[in-house]
């Protein structure tokens, strides 16, 4: 279902960053409103291009333009196996998040 594909994209962001998308203190219904309005979390630091393109495709506003789960699996399996270290990704995004919070307070 299209909502499951969108949920996959949101879960992928959480797995890649260690943070819930839109985790800036908003309520879950506010996150749903942001998604319906076309807002999406920004690209986390270090996410490979092919994976980010898949996540973006899963976020298509028009469900007819979203890939099916079978297509998601096919694309994941076809991605280069160049590994990236999740702990390094977490650390890079944590630093980025801290810098953003510091900038907002300034």
């Amino acid at each position: 279902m299209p909502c499951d594909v969108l949920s996959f994209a949101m879960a992928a962001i959480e797995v890649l960053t260690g943070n819930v998308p839109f985790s800036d203190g908003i309520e879950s219904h506010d996150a749903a409103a942001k998604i319906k309005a076309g807002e999406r979390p920004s690209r986390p630091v270090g996410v490979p291009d092919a994976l980010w393109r898949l996540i973006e495709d899963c976020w298509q506003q028009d469900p007819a333009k979203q890939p099916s789960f079978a297509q998601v699996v096919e694309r994941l399996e076809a991605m280069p196996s160049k590994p990236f270290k999740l702990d390094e990704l977490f650390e890079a995004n944590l630093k980025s998040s801290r810098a953003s919070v510091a900038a907002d307070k300034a």
Side-chain angles (χ1 to χ4, degrees):
M1 295 186 68
C3 64
D4 293 335
V5 172
L6 183 112
S7 294
F8 162 78
M10 300 307 268
I13 293 297
E14 186 170 353
V15 167
L16 293 167
T17 65
N19 294 312
V20 175
F22 303 114
S23 62
D24 53 358
I26 66 171
E27 300 293 325
S28 60
H29 64 277
D30 292 336
K34 285 186 171 202
I35 292 167
K36 285 180 183 177
E39 292 184 49
R40 301 295 186 262
S42 54
R43 182 178 179 165
V45 175
V47 174
D49 291 339
L51 181 55
W52 186 248
R53 283 190 300 274
L54 174 59
I55 291 169
E56 287 183 314
D57 288 347
C58 291
W59 282 337
Q60 289 293 320
Q61 204 69 11
D62 180 356
K65 293 181 180 178
Q66 293 175 350
S68 68
F69 254 108
Q71 292 169 322
V72 169
V73 170
E74 286 175 15
R75 288 175 63 181
L76 286 170
E77 289 175 340
M79 284 185 191
S81 60
K82 179 182 173 187
F84 60 93
K85 297 185 180 204
L86 200 51
D87 58 336
E88 291 175 5
L89 197 68
F90 283 153
E91 186 61 32
N93 283 287
L94 182 62
K95 287 178 185 176
S96 176
S97 181
R98 285 181 185 154
S100 178
V101 169
D104 288 345
K105 288 182 179 181

